[in-house]
Amino acid sequence: MIVAFSVAPSGTPADAPAGTGGDASVHTAVAAAVKVVRESGLPNHTSSMFTEVEGDWDEVMDVVRRATEAAGRYGSRVSLVLKADIRPGHTGELTGKVDRLERALGTLGE
């Protein structure tokens, strides 16, 4: 399966240093989430709005959970947006889908 997800914390974290108001930038929280994904060893790709990760259900969902928790340390709540392509028996689709798209684009207008 491939999961595309994004996380965004909001609110002030319970353990925010006094006087900071929990003003950590969202990109810091997103970096913490992406670090979890990259350290997982699963195939992944990060763009300006989503991080995609590929693997089996249990390992991908565990990575998403841990990434969400990492981002959640930067706020009192966290928003998670998730989209999944569940296709048993297929691997390498993180790049395979894009390769097929590029080939299709190359044949348009011929």
Side-chain angles (χ1 to χ4, degrees):
M1 78 185 299
I2 299 172
V3 166
F5 74 101
S6 67
V7 291
S10 61
T12 303
D15 59 354
T20 66
D23 288 337
S25 175
V26 171
H27 72 260
T28 303
V30 172
V34 171
K35 183 174 191 279
V36 169
V37 173
R38 291 186 178 171
E39 289 177 349
S40 75
L42 295 176
N44 65 83
H45 173 78
T46 298
S47 67
S48 61
M49 294 185 60
F50 286 94
T51 293
E52 298 170 325
V53 61
E54 182 176 16
D56 72 32
W57 181 276
D58 290 336
E59 60 190 3
V60 168
M61 293 312 245
D62 177 62
V63 169
V64 170
R65 178 188 54 80
R66 291 186 293 114
T68 302
E69 290 169 351
R73 289 193 289 273
Y74 293 85
S76 57
R77 66 193 309 168
V78 64
S79 172
L80 168 66
V81 175
L82 184 143
K83 181 177 181 178
D85 180 5
I86 303 164
R87 194 171 182 199
H90 291 265
T91 60
E93 290 298 290
L94 194 64
T95 56
K97 291 176 116 181
V98 176
D99 292 343
R100 289 188 298 277
L101 171 65
E102 293 296 336
R103 283 194 304 272
L105 285 169
T107 63
L108 292 178
E110 289 183 0

